[in-house]
């Protein structure tokens, strides 16, 4: 029997959560042939629900396993930021994050045991994971393309291609800039008061180049999704902070929260991570506490407050897709924005099928689709240029 502590590390390995120290432990533990057999038995018992493992040569599989662990260690060393998701999410949610172990384990088994599967049809496909990119619109209407790896400097603003930062040099006039993130993009901005904003794909934020002292600090989320980490009013001479959106206003004193307000969706979701906010809709004011979400229906103006698992809702800004009991149609809306692709359902019946999983956003779209397919949610998929076809 696999010791409980080791079992936990195996599960974390299967779901891409191991720290470098845990990967070192697992690698050493697997050097013992008896432990190696325990590992294989554990995987087969727990994760081979609908698929039987093919015959395999044990030495080759062992080498593949150790190679995967080594690859993960290199990933942790080069992209330490990914490890921060665990601590950050634990901080904001007692449940932390619900892991789709089954779905991700299938991905692991496909690598490790080399399943023989029919390859999807791919015709001139150019679908890539999203990256850091945005368009900056200045006060005079001129536009500047911001791309990963490219630097930009202009007076009190500079960008390294992943984030744009404004310095507070004092101003007597309000001048606005607009940051637009397209499909297949993401970007971060630090406002002149130190407030940080993460913009998801297909989002737009309008904000002052510098806030006026003695006035409420206001920005506008024109559309899309944004995560705000707002500096307190105490640090800004008592000036409050407000986020306007076409259908609502969020009054902030210093806190972290997420707003999802896509143009084609009927609801706006405002989720509080920590601190306190007041949300105003028409003549109604709704107080929101941490781990609560307000859902506003923009058609009938209905406002609903609910307790939520904050961790899964904000994981996008840490580079993770967290799909918890989401329908395939909802999942494909998220994926289409990040991978800048169109999705066509040849089989309408599968739109309502649900899938649960936690997957990194830098994965190739085919890896994610294999995971969904192996969970039984879809029968097959194919690509045609920028179009994904599901059945």
């Amino acid at each position: 029997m696999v010791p409980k502590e080791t079992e936990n590390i195996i599960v974390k390995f299967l779901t891409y959560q191991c720290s470098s120290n845990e990967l070192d432990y697992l690698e050493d533990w697997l050097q013992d042939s008896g432990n190696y057999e325990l590992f294989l038995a554990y995987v087969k018992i727990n994760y081979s629900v609908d698929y039987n493992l093919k015959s395999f040569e044990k030495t080759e599989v062992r080498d593949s396993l150790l190679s995967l662990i080594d690859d993960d260690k290199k990933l942790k060393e080069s992209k330490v930021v990914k490890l921060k998701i665990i601590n950050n999410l634990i901080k904001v949610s007692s449940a932390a994050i619900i892991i789709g172990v089954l779905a991700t384990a299938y991905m692991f088994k496909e690598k490790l045991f080399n399943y023989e599967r029919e390859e999807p049809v791919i015709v001139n496909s150019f679908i890539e994971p999203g990256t850091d990119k945005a368009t900056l619109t200045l006060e005079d209407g001129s536009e500047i393309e911001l791309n990963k790896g490219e630097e930009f400097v202009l007076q009190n603003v500079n960008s390294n291609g992943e984030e744009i930062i404004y310095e507070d040099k004092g101003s007597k006039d309000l001048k606005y800039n607009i940051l637009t993130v397209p499909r297949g993009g993401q970007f971060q901005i630090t406002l002149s008061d130190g407030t940080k904003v993460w913009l998801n794909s297909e989002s737009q934020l309008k904000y002052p180049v510098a806030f006026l002292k003695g006035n409420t600090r206001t920005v506008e989320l024109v559309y899309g999704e944004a995560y705000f980490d707002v500096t307190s009013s105490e640090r800004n001479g008592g000036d409050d902070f407000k986020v306007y959106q076409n259908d609502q206003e969020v009054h902030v004193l210093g806190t972290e929260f997420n707003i999802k307000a896509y143009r084609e969706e009927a609801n706006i979701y405002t989720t509080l991570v920590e601190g306190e906010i007041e949300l105003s809709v028409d003549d109604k004011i709704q107080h929101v506490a941490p781990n609560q979400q307000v859902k506003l229906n923009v058609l009938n103006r209905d406002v609903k407050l609910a307790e939520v698992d904050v961790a899964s809702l904000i994981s996008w800004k840490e580079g993770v897709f967290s799909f918890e009991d989401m329908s395939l149609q909802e999942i494909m809306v998220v994926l289409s924005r990040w991978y800048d692709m169109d999705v066509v359902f040849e089989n309408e019946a599968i739109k309502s099928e649900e899938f649960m999983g936690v997957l990194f956003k830098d994965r190739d779209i085919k890896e994610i689709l294999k995971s969904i397919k192996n969970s039984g949610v879809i029968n097959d998929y194919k690509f045609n240029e920028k179009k994904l076809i599901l059945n």
Side-chain angles (χ1 to χ4, degrees), residues 90-364:
I90 288 175
K91 177 184 70 172
V92 301
S93 171
S94 58
I97 191 164
I98 297 178
I99 303 296
V101 175
L102 180 63
T104 314
Y106 278 134
M107 293 175 61
F108 159 79
K109 289 201 304 178
E110 188 135 290
K111 287 183 180 179
L112 182 58
F113 298 104
N114 191 28
Y115 276 100
E116 291 180 356
R117 300 199 187 282
E118 182 179 348
E119 288 297 315
V121 176
I122 302 175
V123 181
N124 298 325
S125 177
F126 305 102
I127 299 174
E128 299 288 342
T131 187
D132 299 299
K133 59 182 176 181
T135 299
L136 174 64
T137 304
L138 302 177
E139 177 78 10
D140 61 5
S142 59
E143 295 184 348
I144 299 166
E145 297 299 323
L146 304 176
N147 295 295
K148 188 171 184 176
E150 298 179 6
E151 294 187 355
F152 165 74
V153 178
L154 179 66
Q155 295 177 341
N156 63 328
V157 58
N158 67 86
S159 173
N160 61 4
E162 299 176 11
E163 176 185 11
I164 186 167
I165 301 173
Y166 288 79
E167 298 179 16
D168 185 5
K169 294 186 176 180
S171 177
K172 296 182 179 179
D173 300 311
L174 274 178
K175 295 182 179 180
Y176 287 89
N177 283 181
I178 297 174
L179 193 65
T180 304
V181 179
R183 289 211 315 177
Q186 63 182 10
F187 221 79
Q188 184 179 341
I189 177 173
T190 298
L191 301 175
S192 64
D193 66 339
T195 292
K196 293 184 177 295
V197 186
W198 288 259
L199 288 177
N200 207 347
S201 301
E202 204 170 4
S203 302
Q204 186 178 91
L205 184 74
K206 182 178 180 180
Y207 52 91
V209 173
F211 295 105
L212 299 184
K213 304 298 182 183
N215 292 272
T216 298
R217 297 167 287 157
T218 63
V219 300
E220 179 186 0
L221 178 60
V222 183
Y223 59 81
E225 184 169 22
Y227 183 94
F228 294 85
D229 183 356
V230 181
T231 57
S232 67
S233 57
E234 287 77 10
R235 284 182 51 187
N236 291 274
D239 296 341
D240 290 344
F241 192 100
K242 289 185 178 181
V243 180
Y244 290 101
Q245 209 281 326
N246 286 336
D247 297 278
Q248 66 179 32
E249 172 190 311
V250 177
H251 181 199
V252 186
L253 297 177
T255 187
E256 296 185 33
F257 60 98
N258 192 85
I259 301 177
K260 181 182 177 184
Y262 282 102
R263 292 172 292 188
E264 68 276 16
E265 296 183 3
N267 297 307
I268 297 175
Y269 301 90
T270 305
T271 307
L272 183 61
V273 176
E274 62 181 45
E276 183 180 357
I277 61 174
E278 290 182 346
L279 190 145
S280 300
V281 178
D282 301 330
D283 58 347
K284 305 172 187 175
I285 297 179
Q286 177 67 61
H287 294 271
V288 187
N291 300 313
Q292 290 185 335
Q293 180 184 80
V294 176
K295 181 174 74 172
L296 166 64
N297 186 300
V298 298
L299 301 177
N300 61 21
R301 316 300 292 169
D302 182 47
V303 176
K304 292 183 178 179
L305 179 69
E307 298 286 332
V308 294
D309 175 20
V310 168
S312 63
L313 296 174
I314 67 170
S315 65
W316 65 268
K317 87 177 188 66
E318 301 290 352
V320 173
F321 292 121
S322 180
F323 301 132
E324 180 185 343
D325 299 325
M326 291 178 66
S327 71
L328 185 60
Q329 185 173 24
E330 293 172 320
I331 289 171
M332 287 303 147
V333 169
V334 175
L335 295 180
S336 66
R337 291 187 184 123
W338 180 240
Y339 289 93
D340 188 16
M341 64 183 183
D342 297 320
V343 180
V344 175
F345 286 87
E346 284 191 340
N347 180 2
E348 292 286 324
I350 64 174
K351 284 185 174 181
S352 59
E353 293 289 332
E354 292 189 345
F355 171 82
M356 185 177 79
V358 177
L359 305 167
F360 286 125
K361 292 169 65 178
D362 61 0
R363 301 285 172 186
D364 188 286

